[in-house]
């Protein structure tokens, strides 16, 4: 049965879920701050804009998490002064540690996307990755993005689940759940400890994702907030199916038991299919069928 929560409860669940997730987030999602992360993030930004990115003097990231986008863009020399905001203090603590390790200076600010504690026209770039689908009132959030951007500034979001792509991804997830016992036997892997499903982050996982988007819906939201030059594109199809299959299988196993060779296969296979998606499918197929949507637009 679908769980109905108030906006306040959704925000609270997001804070708790991501505070718990912060410690292992980078390992779980393969967040990289080396050459791979830098090239992946730069490629996503280039794809979303439809051209090579300019350098932005002041940026604000919404739902910055552990810093995947901002820190990699700083390393690529595309951002001058960076502000990273997030509703989860735990994620921002990990971000600050990551920044320190990389020798980068960023300002962090605990903030809800719907109420940004920044003056009007403070940034040339407002960006985010995998965050819009967590925000209860998106119209209000988009009005905030527009308010804090300087005239001519850019808004850019990537990694948002498309409703159609999300439905398609249920096929590999279901298939993997069915095949999981056979997969564990074949690899000699023990099932996940019995209490894993009771852990707070697992229980909250079902309530923190509140939207999946149609491509037109995302564009409309940006236009309604006053943005122009709105561009929506899609990415990852085969890579996503492969990724969800492997993550679903792995979630049923004791993490300490999953062999290194399997993890390498999952990682390399994902990168290979990402290249295939990029070179073959993303240019030819409509944005809506991909798992991830990207949005870029400008303030007048
Ligand atoms: C899936 S994570 C993505 C983190 C990071 N952007 C990345 O790509 O690795 C979503 C992030 O959005 C944050 N978040 C959720 N709801 C939010 C809200 N209402 N306002 C601001 N941040 C929010 C979470 O705390 C979390 O750090």
């Amino acid at each position: 049965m679908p769980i109905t929560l108030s906006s306040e409860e959704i925000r609270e669940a997001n804070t708790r879920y991501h505070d718990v997730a912060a410690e292992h987030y980078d390992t779980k999602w393969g967040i990289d701050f080396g050459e791979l992360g830098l090239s992946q993030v730069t490629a996503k930004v280039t794809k979303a804009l439809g051209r090579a990115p300019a350098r932005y003097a002041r940026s604000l990231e919404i739902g910055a998490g552990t810093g995947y986008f901002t820190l990699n863009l700083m390393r690529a020399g595309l951002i001058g002064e960076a502000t990273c905001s997030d509703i989860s203090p735990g994620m921002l603590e990990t971000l600050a540690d990551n920044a320190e390790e990389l020798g980068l200076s960023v300002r962090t600010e605990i903030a809800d996307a719907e109420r940004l504690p920044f003056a009007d026209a403070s940034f040339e770039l407002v960006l985010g990755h995998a965050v819009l689908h967590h925000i209860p009132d998106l119209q209000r959030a988009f009005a905030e993005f527009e308010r804090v951007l300087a005239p001519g500034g850019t808004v850019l979001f990537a990694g948002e689940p498309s409703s159609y792509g999300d439905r398609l991804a249920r096929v590999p997830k279901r298939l993997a759940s069915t095949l999981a016992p056979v997969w564990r036997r074949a690899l000699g892997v023990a099932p996940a400890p019995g209490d894993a499903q009771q852990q707070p982050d697992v229980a909250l996982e079902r309530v923190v994702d509140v939207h999946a988007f149609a491509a037109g819906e995302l564009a409309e939201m940006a236009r309604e907030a006053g943005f122009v030059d709105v561009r929506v594109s899609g990415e990852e199809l085969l890579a996503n199916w492969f990724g969800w299959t492997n993550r679903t299988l792995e979630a049923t196993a004791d993490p300490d038991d999953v062999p290194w060779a399997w993890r390498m296969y999952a990682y390399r296979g994902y990168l290979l299919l990402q290249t295939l998606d990029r070179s073959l499918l993303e240019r030819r197929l409509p944005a809506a069928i991909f798992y991830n949507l990207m949005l870029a637009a400008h303030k007048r």
Side-chain angles (χ1 to χ4, degrees):
M1 213 169 68
I3 306 163
T4 313
L5 296 181
S6 70
S7 298
E8 205 37 59
E9 286 168 328
I10 292 166
R11 281 189 280 272
E12 203 261 334
N14 261 292
T15 308
R16 271 196 297 144
Y17 172 78
H18 288 99
D19 275 351
V20 172
E23 199 187 343
H24 303 293
Y25 188 84
D26 290 350
T27 317
K28 175 175 175 184
W29 295 101
I31 303 284
D32 184 79
F33 296 105
E35 289 318 298
L36 177 68
L38 188 150
S39 67
Q40 283 196 323
V41 172
T42 313
K44 284 176 195 291
V45 170
T46 305
K47 208 185 296 174
L49 293 170
R51 57 169 171 76
R55 182 179 155 84
Y56 299 95
R58 297 167 301 171
S59 70
L60 168 66
E61 183 164 359
I62 310 293
T66 60
Y68 179 44
F69 257 49
T70 292
L71 298 183
N72 275 310
L73 289 175
M74 288 180 90
R75 289 195 59 239
L78 295 173
I79 287 177
E81 275 173 37
T83 303
C84 289
S85 69
D86 201 290
I87 204 166
S88 152
M91 287 297 242
L92 288 181
E93 275 166 34
T94 304
L95 187 151
D97 291 346
N98 286 340
E100 196 181 326
E101 249 171 60
L102 295 164
L104 297 171
S105 164
V106 288
R107 171 183 172 193
T108 57
E109 193 79 41
I110 300 165
D112 172 10
E114 293 173 33
R115 295 174 202 84
L116 296 175
F118 307 106
D120 298 358
S122 301
F123 305 98
E124 282 69 43
L125 173 68
V126 168
L127 77 156
H129 179 249
V131 59
L132 295 179
H133 63 284
H134 295 305
I135 300 173
D137 186 344
L138 279 167
Q139 212 52 67
R140 195 163 156 174
F142 268 90
E144 282 292 84
F145 306 156
E146 206 268 345
R147 180 183 69 74
V148 301
L149 264 180
T154 301
V155 67
L156 188 153
F157 285 91
E160 297 301 335
S162 78
S163 33
Y164 193 57
D166 196 41
R167 245 177 288 147
L168 285 179
R170 283 182 210 158
V171 177
K173 285 185 201 176
R174 268 197 216 121
L175 197 71
S177 294
T178 313
L179 292 178
V182 180
W183 171 79
R184 286 198 306 270
R185 258 200 310 280
L187 263 66
V189 174
D195 61 352
Q197 293 300 318
Q198 306 307 319
Q199 285 169 12
D201 57 335
V202 174
L204 287 172
E205 217 164 66
R206 289 179 221 114
V207 297
V208 295
D209 294 345
V210 286
H211 310 280
F213 302 99
E217 191 186 353
L218 260 189
E220 199 43 45
M221 249 176 319
R223 286 196 192 100
E224 269 180 31
F227 286 105
V228 293
D229 307 330
V230 178
R231 191 187 142 88
V232 173
S233 36
E235 68 165 3
E236 294 197 359
L237 187 65
L238 303 177
N240 210 269
W241 290 350
F242 183 77
W244 275 122
T245 305
N246 296 334
R247 270 199 295 276
T248 309
L249 290 172
E250 288 165 18
T252 71
D254 183 338
D256 296 335
D257 258 13
V258 178
W260 181 81
W262 167 270
R263 293 205 187 273
M264 285 320 286
Y265 149 81
Y267 175 68
R268 296 226 168 101
Y270 177 78
L271 293 183
L272 185 76
L273 291 173
Q274 207 180 38
T275 310
L276 211 65
D277 281 337
R278 209 170 280 162
S279 54
L280 274 183
L281 305 181
E282 287 167 12
R283 285 179 219 165
R284 294 180 171 85
L285 299 176
I289 80 157
F290 291 91
Y291 185 77
N292 287 320
L293 292 176
M294 320 173 114
L295 166 83
H298 291 114
K299 177 166 170 167
R300 274 182 214 282

